[in-house]
Amino acid sequence: MGGEPKIVTACVVVIGNEILSGRTREGNLAYAAGRLRELGVRLLEGRVVRDEPAAIIEAVNACRQRYDYVFTSGGIGPTHDDITADAVAAAFGVPLMVDPAARARLEAHYEPGQLNEARLRMARVPVGATLIDNPISTAPGFRIGNVFVMAGVPAIFQAMFESVRHQLAGGPPLLSRTISGRVAEGSIAGELEGVQKRFPDVEIGSYPFYRGGGGGSLGCSIVLRAVDRARLDTAAEAVRSIMRAQGIEPNEGDPQ
Amino acid sequence: MGGEPKIVTACVVVIGNEILSGRTREGNLAYAAGRLRELGVRLLEGRVVRDEPAAIIEAVNACRQRYDYVFTSGGIGPTHDDITADAVAAAFGVPLMVDPAARARLEAHYEPGQLNEARLRMARVPVGATLIDNPISTAPGFRIGNVFVMAGVPAIFQAMFESVRHQLAGGPPLLSRTISGRVAEGSIAGELEGVQKRFPDVEIGSYPFYRGGGGGSLGCSIVLRAVDRARLDTAAEAVRSIMRAQGIEPNEGDPQ
Protein backbone atom coordinates (compact mmCIF):
# COMPACT_ATOMS: atom_id res chain seq x y z
CA MET A 1 0.00 0.00 0.00
CA GLY A 2 3.07 2.22 0.76
CA GLY A 3 2.74 5.98 0.68
CA GLU A 4 -0.14 8.26 1.39
CA PRO A 5 -2.12 9.05 -1.74
CA LYS A 6 -2.01 12.74 -2.50
CA ILE A 7 -5.02 14.75 -1.39
CA VAL A 8 -6.12 16.99 -4.27
CA THR A 9 -7.66 20.31 -3.28
CA ALA A 10 -9.62 23.12 -4.87
CA CYS A 11 -11.10 26.55 -4.27
CA VAL A 12 -13.92 28.42 -6.01
CA VAL A 13 -13.65 32.20 -6.44
CA VAL A 14 -16.99 33.78 -7.31
CA ILE A 15 -16.61 37.20 -8.90
CA GLY A 16 -19.48 39.64 -9.01
CA ASN A 17 -21.12 42.59 -7.30
CA GLU A 18 -24.51 41.04 -8.09
CA ILE A 19 -23.83 38.23 -5.61
CA LEU A 20 -22.68 40.62 -2.88
CA SER A 21 -25.65 42.93 -3.37
CA GLY A 22 -28.05 40.03 -2.96
CA ARG A 23 -29.42 40.52 -6.46
CA THR A 24 -28.28 37.12 -7.71
CA ARG A 25 -28.28 33.91 -5.71
CA GLU A 26 -24.98 32.08 -6.02
CA GLY A 27 -25.15 28.45 -7.11
CA ASN A 28 -21.89 27.64 -8.88
CA LEU A 29 -20.02 26.85 -5.68
CA ALA A 30 -22.55 24.16 -4.82
CA TYR A 31 -22.35 22.71 -8.32
CA ALA A 32 -18.57 22.60 -8.25
CA ALA A 33 -18.64 21.15 -4.75
CA GLY A 34 -20.73 18.18 -5.80
CA ARG A 35 -18.85 17.46 -9.01
CA LEU A 36 -15.41 17.87 -7.44
CA ARG A 37 -16.32 15.46 -4.70
CA GLU A 38 -17.25 12.86 -7.30
CA LEU A 39 -13.90 13.42 -9.00
CA GLY A 40 -11.88 12.96 -5.80
CA VAL A 41 -11.04 16.65 -5.44
CA ARG A 42 -11.71 18.36 -2.10
CA LEU A 43 -13.20 21.81 -2.26
CA LEU A 44 -11.57 23.48 0.74
CA GLU A 45 -12.53 27.12 0.34
CA GLY A 46 -14.86 29.48 -1.42
CA ARG A 47 -14.56 33.22 -1.87
CA VAL A 48 -16.94 35.81 -3.21
CA VAL A 49 -15.26 39.00 -4.37
CA ARG A 50 -16.44 42.18 -6.03
CA ASP A 51 -15.75 43.38 -9.56
CA GLU A 52 -12.55 45.16 -8.60
CA PRO A 53 -9.11 44.30 -9.95
CA ALA A 54 -7.35 44.34 -6.57
CA ALA A 55 -9.94 42.07 -4.97
CA ILE A 56 -9.80 39.53 -7.80
CA ILE A 57 -6.01 39.57 -8.05
CA GLU A 58 -5.58 39.04 -4.34
CA ALA A 59 -8.07 36.16 -4.18
CA VAL A 60 -6.66 34.41 -7.24
CA ASN A 61 -3.08 34.70 -6.06
CA ALA A 62 -3.85 33.58 -2.51
CA CYS A 63 -5.84 30.59 -3.70
CA ARG A 64 -3.71 29.39 -6.59
CA GLN A 65 -0.72 29.07 -4.31
CA ARG A 66 -2.67 27.20 -1.68
CA TYR A 67 -4.84 24.78 -3.67
CA ASP A 68 -4.28 22.42 -6.56
CA TYR A 69 -7.12 23.91 -8.61
CA VAL A 70 -8.90 27.26 -8.60
CA PHE A 71 -12.17 27.81 -10.44
CA THR A 72 -13.39 31.34 -10.99
CA SER A 73 -16.99 32.14 -11.84
CA GLY A 74 -18.14 35.36 -13.48
CA GLY A 75 -16.90 38.50 -15.16
CA ILE A 76 -15.97 37.20 -18.61
CA GLY A 77 -18.68 38.86 -20.70
CA PRO A 78 -18.42 41.81 -23.11
CA THR A 79 -19.23 44.75 -20.83
CA HIS A 80 -17.00 47.17 -18.92
CA ASP A 81 -17.69 45.39 -15.61
CA ASP A 82 -16.30 42.10 -17.00
CA ILE A 83 -12.74 42.41 -15.79
CA THR A 84 -11.84 38.88 -14.80
CA ALA A 85 -9.49 38.20 -17.73
CA ASP A 86 -7.59 41.43 -17.06
CA ALA A 87 -7.33 40.68 -13.36
CA VAL A 88 -6.20 37.07 -13.82
CA ALA A 89 -3.55 38.19 -16.32
CA ALA A 90 -2.36 40.73 -13.76
CA ALA A 91 -2.35 38.05 -11.05
CA PHE A 92 -0.02 35.96 -13.21
CA GLY A 93 2.02 38.98 -14.31
CA VAL A 94 1.45 38.35 -18.01
CA PRO A 95 -0.18 40.46 -20.74
CA LEU A 96 -3.55 39.81 -22.33
CA MET A 97 -3.75 38.87 -25.99
CA VAL A 98 -6.56 38.27 -28.45
CA ASP A 99 -6.54 34.50 -28.90
CA PRO A 100 -6.85 33.64 -32.61
CA ALA A 101 -8.92 30.52 -31.99
CA ALA A 102 -11.25 32.35 -29.61
CA ARG A 103 -11.64 35.11 -32.16
CA ALA A 104 -12.41 32.58 -34.89
CA ARG A 105 -15.12 31.01 -32.73
CA LEU A 106 -16.73 34.38 -32.10
CA GLU A 107 -16.51 35.29 -35.79
CA ALA A 108 -18.32 32.08 -36.68
CA HIS A 109 -20.94 32.69 -33.99
CA TYR A 110 -21.97 36.27 -34.73
CA GLU A 111 -23.67 37.65 -37.80
CA PRO A 112 -21.38 39.73 -40.01
CA GLY A 113 -20.82 43.14 -38.42
CA GLN A 114 -21.96 42.03 -34.96
CA LEU A 115 -18.51 41.16 -33.61
CA ASN A 116 -17.81 44.63 -32.31
CA GLU A 117 -14.95 45.74 -30.08
CA ALA A 118 -16.84 44.93 -26.91
CA ARG A 119 -17.59 41.36 -27.97
CA LEU A 120 -14.01 40.95 -29.11
CA ARG A 121 -13.03 41.48 -25.46
CA MET A 122 -14.32 37.96 -24.93
CA ALA A 123 -11.48 36.61 -27.10
CA ARG A 124 -8.82 38.08 -24.83
CA VAL A 125 -6.88 35.65 -22.66
CA PRO A 126 -3.65 35.93 -20.69
CA VAL A 127 -0.57 34.85 -22.64
CA GLY A 128 -0.01 31.18 -21.90
CA ALA A 129 -3.66 30.34 -21.35
CA THR A 130 -5.60 27.59 -23.10
CA LEU A 131 -9.27 27.91 -24.01
CA ILE A 132 -12.19 26.30 -22.21
CA ASP A 133 -15.03 25.35 -24.54
CA ASN A 134 -18.40 27.02 -24.15
CA PRO A 135 -20.94 24.83 -25.95
CA ILE A 136 -23.80 27.15 -24.98
CA SER A 137 -22.90 30.67 -26.01
CA THR A 138 -19.49 30.20 -27.71
CA ALA A 139 -17.42 32.82 -25.86
CA PRO A 140 -14.76 30.65 -24.20
CA GLY A 141 -13.31 30.53 -20.76
CA PHE A 142 -9.64 29.80 -20.26
CA ARG A 143 -7.19 27.95 -18.12
CA ILE A 144 -3.88 29.41 -17.02
CA GLY A 145 -1.69 27.36 -14.70
CA ASN A 146 -4.02 25.81 -12.14
CA VAL A 147 -6.70 28.50 -12.55
CA PHE A 148 -9.84 27.79 -14.58
CA VAL A 149 -11.69 30.96 -15.56
CA MET A 150 -15.35 30.29 -16.28
CA ALA A 151 -18.64 32.08 -16.81
CA GLY A 152 -21.00 33.09 -14.02
CA VAL A 153 -24.26 32.11 -15.73
CA PRO A 154 -24.94 28.72 -14.11
CA ALA A 155 -25.75 26.76 -17.29
CA ILE A 156 -22.53 28.01 -18.89
CA PHE A 157 -20.45 27.48 -15.75
CA GLN A 158 -21.67 23.90 -15.64
CA ALA A 159 -21.00 23.27 -19.32
CA MET A 160 -17.49 24.71 -18.96
CA PHE A 161 -16.87 22.55 -15.91
CA GLU A 162 -17.77 19.47 -17.91
CA SER A 163 -15.45 20.69 -20.70
CA VAL A 164 -12.45 20.64 -18.35
CA ARG A 165 -13.29 17.77 -16.08
CA HIS A 166 -10.96 15.38 -17.93
CA GLN A 167 -8.08 17.75 -17.06
CA LEU A 168 -8.65 17.29 -13.33
CA ALA A 169 -6.55 14.63 -11.66
CA GLY A 170 -8.43 13.64 -8.54
CA GLY A 171 -7.10 11.86 -5.51
CA PRO A 172 -8.79 9.00 -3.74
CA PRO A 173 -12.49 9.82 -3.43
CA LEU A 174 -13.93 10.56 -0.02
CA LEU A 175 -16.60 7.97 0.65
CA SER A 176 -19.48 9.00 2.85
CA ARG A 177 -22.18 7.56 5.07
CA THR A 178 -25.11 9.50 6.46
CA ILE A 179 -26.94 8.22 9.51
CA SER A 180 -29.93 10.08 10.84
CA GLY A 181 -32.17 9.72 13.82
CA ARG A 182 -34.78 11.54 15.82
CA VAL A 183 -32.39 12.42 18.59
CA ALA A 184 -31.16 15.89 19.51
CA GLU A 185 -27.48 16.23 18.60
CA GLY A 186 -26.79 17.65 22.05
CA SER A 187 -27.88 14.35 23.61
CA ILE A 188 -25.25 12.33 21.77
CA ALA A 189 -22.54 14.94 21.35
CA GLY A 190 -20.26 13.50 24.01
CA GLU A 191 -20.35 9.99 22.59
CA LEU A 192 -19.96 11.34 19.08
CA GLU A 193 -16.82 13.17 20.07
CA GLY A 194 -15.54 9.87 21.43
CA VAL A 195 -16.02 8.28 18.00
CA GLN A 196 -14.27 11.21 16.34
CA LYS A 197 -11.29 10.77 18.64
CA ARG A 198 -11.09 7.06 17.89
CA PHE A 199 -11.38 7.73 14.15
CA PRO A 200 -9.26 10.80 13.40
CA ASP A 201 -9.11 9.63 9.77
CA VAL A 202 -12.90 9.90 9.47
CA GLU A 203 -14.43 13.37 9.17
CA ILE A 204 -17.62 13.40 11.23
CA GLY A 205 -20.15 16.22 10.97
CA SER A 206 -23.42 16.61 12.86
CA TYR A 207 -26.32 18.48 11.25
CA PRO A 208 -29.57 19.05 13.10
CA PHE A 209 -32.85 19.06 11.23
CA TYR A 210 -35.91 21.02 12.19
CA ARG A 211 -39.59 21.28 11.79
CA GLY A 212 -40.30 24.12 9.32
CA GLY A 213 -38.97 27.48 10.43
CA GLY A 214 -36.10 26.18 12.50
CA GLY A 215 -38.21 25.99 15.66
CA GLY A 216 -38.00 22.60 17.28
CA SER A 217 -35.06 20.31 16.65
CA LEU A 218 -36.42 17.02 15.39
CA GLY A 219 -33.19 15.13 15.13
CA CYS A 220 -29.82 15.09 13.45
CA SER A 221 -27.94 13.64 10.54
CA ILE A 222 -24.43 12.43 11.18
CA VAL A 223 -22.26 12.55 8.07
CA LEU A 224 -19.07 10.50 8.03
CA ARG A 225 -16.45 10.80 5.29
CA ALA A 226 -13.26 8.85 4.78
CA VAL A 227 -11.06 7.38 2.10
CA ASP A 228 -10.88 3.95 3.75
CA ARG A 229 -14.15 2.07 3.37
CA ALA A 230 -13.56 -0.34 6.25
CA ARG A 231 -12.71 2.43 8.69
CA LEU A 232 -15.72 4.38 7.50
CA ASP A 233 -18.06 1.43 8.01
CA THR A 234 -16.69 0.74 11.47
CA ALA A 235 -17.12 4.37 12.51
CA ALA A 236 -20.64 4.44 11.04
CA GLU A 237 -21.57 1.37 13.07
CA ALA A 238 -20.28 3.11 16.19
CA VAL A 239 -22.61 6.03 15.44
CA ARG A 240 -25.56 3.68 14.97
CA SER A 241 -24.78 2.12 18.35
CA ILE A 242 -24.85 5.53 20.00
CA MET A 243 -28.33 6.17 18.64
CA ARG A 244 -29.59 2.73 19.59
CA ALA A 245 -28.32 3.27 23.14
CA GLN A 246 -30.68 6.26 23.23
CA GLY A 247 -33.56 4.05 22.14
CA ILE A 248 -33.50 5.54 18.64
CA GLU A 249 -33.46 3.37 15.53
CA PRO A 250 -31.00 4.99 13.12
CA ASN A 251 -31.87 5.53 9.47
CA GLU A 252 -29.44 5.22 6.60
CA GLY A 253 -29.26 8.53 4.79
CA ASP A 254 -31.07 11.73 5.60
CA PRO A 255 -34.47 11.59 7.29
CA GLN A 256 -37.38 10.63 5.10
CA MET B 1 -22.37 69.38 2.43
CA GLY B 2 -18.63 69.18 3.48
CA GLY B 3 -16.89 65.84 3.95
CA GLU B 4 -17.48 62.51 2.33
CA PRO B 5 -19.83 60.36 4.36
CA LYS B 6 -18.07 57.24 5.58
CA ILE B 7 -18.68 54.10 3.55
CA VAL B 8 -19.49 51.25 5.94
CA THR B 9 -18.36 47.80 4.85
CA ALA B 10 -18.93 44.19 5.81
CA CYS B 11 -17.89 40.62 5.09
CA VAL B 12 -19.65 37.30 5.70
CA VAL B 13 -17.59 34.25 6.70
CA VAL B 14 -19.52 31.01 6.25
CA ILE B 15 -18.06 28.16 8.30
CA GLY B 16 -18.84 24.58 7.50
CA ASN B 17 -17.71 21.47 5.67
CA GLU B 18 -21.33 20.82 4.71
CA ILE B 19 -21.30 23.83 2.40
CA LEU B 20 -18.00 22.85 0.79
CA SER B 21 -19.10 19.25 0.26
CA GLY B 22 -22.23 20.42 -1.54
CA ARG B 23 -24.47 18.78 1.06
CA THR B 24 -26.02 22.07 2.22
CA ARG B 25 -26.90 24.99 -0.02
CA GLU B 26 -25.64 28.26 1.44
CA GLY B 27 -28.20 31.02 1.84
CA ASN B 28 -27.06 33.21 4.71
CA LEU B 29 -24.76 35.32 2.56
CA ALA B 30 -27.67 36.30 0.33
CA TYR B 31 -29.84 37.13 3.34
CA ALA B 32 -27.14 39.29 4.91
CA ALA B 33 -26.47 40.95 1.55
CA GLY B 34 -30.02 42.12 1.20
CA ARG B 35 -30.44 43.30 4.78
CA LEU B 36 -27.08 45.04 4.90
CA ARG B 37 -27.86 46.94 1.75
CA GLU B 38 -31.06 48.23 3.30
CA LEU B 39 -29.06 49.34 6.33
CA GLY B 40 -26.49 51.25 4.28
CA VAL B 41 -23.73 48.69 4.83
CA ARG B 42 -21.84 47.36 1.80
CA LEU B 43 -21.10 43.68 1.75
CA LEU B 44 -17.72 43.58 0.01
CA GLU B 45 -16.62 39.99 0.44
CA GLY B 46 -17.77 36.52 1.34
CA ARG B 47 -15.72 33.53 2.36
CA VAL B 48 -16.61 29.91 2.88
CA VAL B 49 -14.16 28.03 5.08
CA ARG B 50 -14.02 24.53 6.49
CA ASP B 51 -14.38 23.43 10.11
CA GLU B 52 -10.69 23.81 10.87
CA PRO B 53 -9.25 26.20 13.44
CA ALA B 54 -6.51 27.60 11.20
CA ALA B 55 -8.92 28.29 8.33
CA ILE B 56 -11.42 30.07 10.57
CA ILE B 57 -8.77 32.06 12.44
CA GLU B 58 -7.15 33.25 9.23
CA ALA B 59 -10.44 34.30 7.63
CA VAL B 60 -11.70 36.10 10.73
CA ASN B 61 -8.46 37.97 11.27
CA ALA B 62 -8.08 38.96 7.61
CA CYS B 63 -11.66 40.20 7.41
CA ARG B 64 -12.01 41.97 10.75
CA GLN B 65 -9.05 44.15 9.94
CA ARG B 66 -10.34 45.00 6.52
CA TYR B 67 -14.06 45.54 7.02
CA ASP B 68 -16.20 47.41 9.52
CA TYR B 69 -18.31 44.37 10.33
CA VAL B 70 -17.77 40.64 10.00
CA PHE B 71 -20.61 38.15 10.30
CA THR B 72 -19.83 34.49 10.75
CA SER B 73 -22.35 31.75 10.08
CA GLY B 74 -22.16 28.23 11.49
CA GLY B 75 -20.27 26.07 13.94
CA ILE B 76 -21.79 27.18 17.25
CA GLY B 77 -23.75 24.05 18.19
CA PRO B 78 -23.00 21.41 20.83
CA THR B 79 -21.01 18.86 18.84
CA HIS B 80 -17.27 18.32 18.42
CA ASP B 81 -17.30 19.87 14.94
CA ASP B 82 -18.68 23.16 16.32
CA ILE B 83 -15.42 25.00 16.83
CA THR B 84 -16.26 28.55 15.85
CA ALA B 85 -16.20 29.99 19.39
CA ASP B 86 -12.79 28.43 20.05
CA ALA B 87 -11.42 29.70 16.74
CA VAL B 88 -12.76 33.24 17.17
CA ALA B 89 -11.31 33.42 20.68
CA ALA B 90 -7.98 32.31 19.26
CA ALA B 91 -8.27 34.90 16.48
CA PHE B 92 -8.65 37.60 19.13
CA GLY B 93 -6.02 36.05 21.39
CA VAL B 94 -8.36 35.77 24.37
CA PRO B 95 -9.54 32.77 26.39
CA LEU B 96 -13.02 31.26 26.27
CA MET B 97 -15.25 31.43 29.33
CA VAL B 98 -18.66 30.06 30.21
CA ASP B 99 -20.88 33.14 30.13
CA PRO B 100 -23.18 33.15 33.19
CA ALA B 101 -26.09 34.73 31.30
CA ALA B 102 -25.75 32.26 28.44
CA ARG B 103 -25.64 29.41 30.91
CA ALA B 104 -28.74 30.71 32.68
CA ARG B 105 -30.61 30.84 29.38
CA LEU B 106 -29.67 27.27 28.57
CA GLU B 107 -30.62 26.13 32.11
CA ALA B 108 -34.04 27.69 31.67
CA HIS B 109 -34.44 26.14 28.22
CA TYR B 110 -33.58 22.50 28.93
CA GLU B 111 -35.38 20.02 31.12
CA PRO B 112 -33.54 19.23 34.35
CA GLY B 113 -30.61 16.94 33.66
CA GLN B 114 -30.54 17.71 29.92
CA LEU B 115 -27.94 20.48 30.09
CA ASN B 116 -24.98 18.16 29.67
CA GLU B 117 -21.36 19.07 29.08
CA ALA B 118 -21.79 19.16 25.31
CA ARG B 119 -24.73 21.57 25.46
CA LEU B 120 -22.85 23.72 27.95
CA ARG B 121 -20.30 24.29 25.18
CA MET B 122 -22.90 26.59 23.69
CA ALA B 123 -22.53 28.94 26.68
CA ARG B 124 -18.83 29.47 25.99
CA VAL B 125 -17.83 32.84 24.56
CA PRO B 126 -14.49 34.63 24.24
CA VAL B 127 -13.70 36.93 27.15
CA GLY B 128 -14.96 40.39 26.23
CA ALA B 129 -17.83 39.16 24.06
CA THR B 130 -21.48 40.15 24.42
CA LEU B 131 -24.33 37.78 23.69
CA ILE B 132 -26.53 37.78 20.61
CA ASP B 133 -30.10 36.71 21.33
CA ASN B 134 -31.45 33.55 19.78
CA PRO B 135 -35.25 33.74 19.98
CA ILE B 136 -35.63 30.40 18.20
CA SER B 137 -33.51 27.83 19.98
CA THR B 138 -32.04 29.83 22.91
CA ALA B 139 -28.33 29.03 22.49
CA PRO B 140 -26.90 32.50 21.89
CA GLY B 141 -24.43 33.87 19.40
CA PHE B 142 -21.96 36.52 20.45
CA ARG B 143 -20.25 39.68 19.34
CA ILE B 144 -16.62 40.42 19.97
CA GLY B 145 -15.16 43.61 18.57
CA ASN B 146 -16.56 43.99 15.08
CA VAL B 147 -17.22 40.26 14.64
CA PHE B 148 -20.74 38.86 15.00
CA VAL B 149 -20.78 35.09 15.51
CA MET B 150 -24.09 33.57 14.50
CA ALA B 151 -25.73 30.22 13.79
CA GLY B 152 -25.68 28.49 10.43
CA VAL B 153 -29.30 27.29 10.41
CA PRO B 154 -30.94 29.95 8.22
CA ALA B 155 -33.94 30.71 10.44
CA ILE B 156 -31.64 31.20 13.43
CA PHE B 157 -29.07 33.19 11.44
CA GLN B 158 -31.83 35.51 10.33
CA ALA B 159 -33.28 35.90 13.82
CA MET B 160 -29.84 36.66 15.21
CA PHE B 161 -29.23 39.20 12.47
CA GLU B 162 -32.42 41.00 13.44
CA SER B 163 -31.28 40.87 17.08
CA VAL B 164 -28.13 42.84 16.29
CA ARG B 165 -29.30 45.07 13.51
CA HIS B 166 -29.72 48.08 15.84
CA GLN B 167 -26.00 47.80 16.62
CA LEU B 168 -25.05 48.38 12.98
CA ALA B 169 -24.27 51.96 12.04
CA GLY B 170 -24.83 52.19 8.31
CA GLY B 171 -23.52 54.80 5.95
CA PRO B 172 -25.51 56.50 3.23
CA PRO B 173 -27.60 53.86 1.47
CA LEU B 174 -26.76 52.93 -2.08
CA LEU B 175 -29.79 53.74 -4.20
CA SER B 176 -30.37 51.62 -7.26
CA ARG B 177 -32.14 51.63 -10.59
CA THR B 178 -32.60 48.63 -12.83
CA ILE B 179 -33.30 49.11 -16.53
CA SER B 180 -33.88 46.12 -18.74
CA GLY B 181 -34.40 45.64 -22.43
CA ARG B 182 -34.46 42.96 -25.08
CA VAL B 183 -31.05 43.88 -26.39
CA ALA B 184 -27.88 41.81 -26.21
CA GLU B 185 -25.44 43.39 -23.79
CA GLY B 186 -22.69 43.06 -26.37
CA SER B 187 -24.59 45.41 -28.68
CA ILE B 188 -24.57 48.26 -26.18
CA ALA B 189 -21.38 47.51 -24.27
CA GLY B 190 -19.36 50.30 -25.85
CA GLU B 191 -21.94 52.97 -25.11
CA LEU B 192 -22.45 51.58 -21.64
CA GLU B 193 -18.75 51.91 -20.91
CA GLY B 194 -19.01 55.53 -22.01
CA VAL B 195 -21.71 56.11 -19.39
CA GLN B 196 -19.59 54.40 -16.74
CA LYS B 197 -16.68 56.70 -17.58
CA ARG B 198 -18.85 59.79 -17.33
CA PHE B 199 -20.33 58.59 -14.04
CA PRO B 200 -17.48 57.08 -12.01
CA ASP B 201 -19.56 57.66 -8.88
CA VAL B 202 -22.26 55.33 -10.22
CA GLU B 203 -21.63 51.58 -10.13
CA ILE B 204 -23.02 50.11 -13.34
CA GLY B 205 -23.45 46.37 -13.82
CA SER B 206 -24.78 44.52 -16.84
CA TYR B 207 -26.54 41.18 -16.40
CA PRO B 208 -27.79 39.20 -19.38
CA PHE B 209 -30.94 37.16 -19.11
CA TYR B 210 -31.68 34.00 -21.01
CA ARG B 211 -34.36 31.73 -22.20
CA GLY B 212 -34.39 28.65 -19.92
CA GLY B 213 -31.11 26.74 -19.89
CA GLY B 214 -28.85 29.65 -20.67
CA GLY B 215 -29.14 29.11 -24.41
CA GLY B 216 -30.12 32.23 -26.24
CA SER B 217 -29.52 35.65 -24.74
CA LEU B 218 -32.84 37.47 -24.64
CA GLY B 219 -31.65 40.75 -23.28
CA CYS B 220 -29.97 42.39 -20.35
CA SER B 221 -30.65 44.21 -17.13
CA ILE B 222 -28.49 47.22 -16.36
CA VAL B 223 -28.22 47.87 -12.63
CA LEU B 224 -27.03 51.30 -11.50
CA ARG B 225 -26.14 52.08 -7.88
CA ALA B 226 -25.12 55.37 -6.33
CA VAL B 227 -25.49 57.43 -3.19
CA ASP B 228 -26.51 60.60 -5.05
CA ARG B 229 -30.04 60.32 -6.37
CA ALA B 230 -29.69 63.04 -9.01
CA ARG B 231 -26.52 61.53 -10.46
CA LEU B 232 -28.15 58.10 -10.42
CA ASP B 233 -31.20 59.35 -12.29
CA THR B 234 -29.09 61.14 -14.88
CA ALA B 235 -27.00 58.04 -15.50
CA ALA B 236 -30.14 55.89 -15.70
CA GLU B 237 -31.59 58.18 -18.32
CA ALA B 238 -28.37 57.85 -20.31
CA VAL B 239 -28.79 54.08 -20.25
CA ARG B 240 -32.39 54.36 -21.43
CA SER B 241 -31.22 56.54 -24.32
CA ILE B 242 -28.72 53.87 -25.35
CA MET B 243 -31.46 51.27 -25.55
CA ARG B 244 -33.84 53.59 -27.42
CA ALA B 245 -31.08 54.30 -29.97
CA GLN B 246 -31.15 50.55 -30.66
CA GLY B 247 -34.90 50.69 -31.23
CA ILE B 248 -35.56 49.00 -27.87
CA GLU B 249 -38.04 50.41 -25.38
CA PRO B 250 -36.42 50.08 -21.93
CA ASN B 251 -38.33 48.66 -18.97
CA GLU B 252 -37.97 49.86 -15.43
CA GLY B 253 -36.82 46.97 -13.28
CA ASP B 254 -36.07 43.44 -14.33
CA PRO B 255 -37.88 41.94 -17.31
CA GLN B 256 -41.47 40.93 -16.76
Side-chain angles (χ1 to χ4, degrees):
Chain A
M1 298 286 282
E4 284 284 304
K6 173 162 168 34
I7 302 296
V8 181
T9 63
C11 173
V12 170
V13 178
V14 175
I15 298 161
N17 294 348
E18 71 278 20
I19 309 296
L20 292 165
S21 73
R23 171 185 167 82
T24 302
R25 188 72 170 260
E26 211 294 305
N28 292 334
L29 188 140
Y31 181 82
R35 293 293 286 124
L36 289 169
R37 184 165 42 74
E38 292 164 6
L39 296 168
V41 178
R42 318 233 178 135
L43 180 60
L44 293 189
E45 186 174 345
R47 297 203 186 191
V48 187
V49 300
R50 56 200 184 284
D51 298 320
E52 286 183 13
I56 301 170
I57 292 168
E58 187 203 336
V60 166
N61 276 338
C63 295
R64 75 187 174 96
Q65 283 154 25
R66 195 171 299 178
Y67 304 109
D68 293 310
Y69 299 118
V70 177
F71 301 87
T72 77
S73 156
I76 64 169
T79 54
H80 66 278
D81 54 332
D82 291 306
I83 59 169
T84 299
D86 309 72
V88 172
F92 278 83
V94 300
L96 276 178
M97 58 170 278
V98 173
D99 183 274
R103 180 182 184 129
R105 292 183 197 182
L106 294 173
E107 280 170 347
H109 178 73
Y110 287 103
E111 299 294 316
Q114 293 295 303
L115 185 57
N116 57 23
E117 196 180 337
R119 286 181 170 129
L120 209 47
R121 282 170 52 84
M122 298 189 289
R124 297 176 316 144
V125 304
V127 169
T130 55
L131 300 184
I132 297 176
D133 290 345
N134 172 356
I136 291 184
S137 58
T138 303
F142 60 84
R143 171 186 185 167
I144 178 167
N146 59 341
V147 179
F148 297 78
V149 174
M150 316 210 290
V153 175
I156 305 175
F157 180 89
Q158 293 169 22
M160 286 183 171
F161 189 94
E162 300 311 317
S163 301
V164 298
R165 141 176 88 92
H166 65 281
Q167 298 178 32
L168 307 176
L174 264 188
L175 307 174
S176 79
R177 301 281 180 273
T178 298
I179 296 159
S180 61
R182 292 208 163 208
V183 57
E185 61 175 358
S187 299
I188 60 170
E191 293 86 348
L192 206 57
E193 185 171 18
V195 178
Q196 179 68 87
K197 283 187 175 150
R198 278 173 14 237
F199 294 87
D201 52 331
V202 180
E203 175 192 312
I204 304 177
S206 173
Y207 307 106
F209 51 85
Y210 296 90
R211 208 182 297 274
S217 166
L218 281 178
C220 62
S221 294
I222 309 301
V223 179
L224 304 96
R225 296 185 199 277
V227 169
D228 185 309
R229 185 182 303 268
R231 290 282 290 169
L232 180 64
D233 285 335
T234 310
E237 186 52 30
V239 171
R240 288 187 203 98
S241 299
I242 289 170
M243 290 194 186
R244 290 196 187 105
Q246 296 271 331
I248 304 293
E249 186 50 35
N251 298 311
E252 300 305 301
D254 280 306
Q256 308 301 315
Chain B
M1 299 289 280
E4 285 282 307
K6 171 165 170 31
I7 303 296
V8 182
T9 63
C11 173
V12 170
V13 178
V14 175
I15 298 161
N17 294 349
E18 71 277 19
I19 309 296
L20 292 165
S21 73
R23 169 184 168 82
T24 301
R25 187 73 171 259
E26 211 296 303
N28 293 332
L29 188 140
Y31 180 83
R35 294 292 287 123
L36 289 169
R37 184 164 42 75
E38 293 164 6
L39 296 167
V41 177
R42 315 228 181 139
L43 180 60
L44 294 189
E45 186 175 345
R47 296 202 186 190
V48 186
V49 300
R50 56 199 183 283
D51 299 319
E52 285 183 13
I56 301 170
I57 292 168
E58 188 202 338
V60 166
N61 275 338
C63 295
R64 74 187 176 97
Q65 282 155 27
R66 195 173 297 179
Y67 303 110
D68 294 309
Y69 300 118
V70 177
F71 301 88
T72 77
S73 157
I76 64 169
T79 53
H80 65 277
D81 54 332
D82 291 306
I83 59 168
T84 299
D86 310 68
V88 171
F92 278 84
V94 299
L96 277 178
M97 58 172 276
V98 172
D99 183 274
R103 181 184 184 128
R105 292 183 196 182
L106 294 173
E107 281 169 347
H109 178 72
Y110 287 102
E111 299 293 319
Q114 293 295 302
L115 186 55
N116 58 21
E117 197 181 337
R119 286 181 169 128
L120 209 48
R121 281 169 53 87
M122 298 190 288
R124 297 176 316 145
V125 304
V127 168
T130 55
L131 299 184
I132 297 176
D133 291 345
N134 172 355
I136 291 183
S137 56
T138 303
F142 60 84
R143 173 187 184 167
I144 178 166
N146 60 342
V147 179
F148 297 77
V149 174
M150 316 209 292
V153 174
I156 305 176
F157 180 89
Q158 293 171 22
M160 286 184 171
F161 189 94
E162 300 311 318
S163 301
V164 299
R165 135 178 91 94
H166 65 282
Q167 298 178 31
L168 307 176
L174 265 188
L175 307 172
S176 78
R177 301 280 181 273
T178 299
I179 296 159
S180 60
R182 292 209 163 207
V183 57
E185 60 175 359
S187 299
I188 61 170
E191 292 85 347
L192 205 57
E193 185 171 18
V195 178
Q196 179 67 87
K197 284 189 173 149
R198 278 171 16 236
F199 294 87
D201 52 331
V202 180
E203 175 193 312
I204 304 176
S206 173
Y207 306 106
F209 51 85
Y210 296 90
R211 207 183 299 273
S217 166
L218 281 177
C220 61
S221 295
I222 309 300
V223 179
L224 304 97
R225 297 186 198 279
V227 169
D228 186 309
R229 185 181 304 268
R231 290 282 291 170
L232 180 64
D233 285 336
T234 310
E237 187 52 32
V239 171
R240 287 187 203 98
S241 299
I242 289 170
M243 289 193 185
R244 290 196 187 103
Q246 296 271 331
I248 304 293
E249 186 50 35
N251 299 312
E252 299 306 301
D254 281 304
Q256 308 301 313

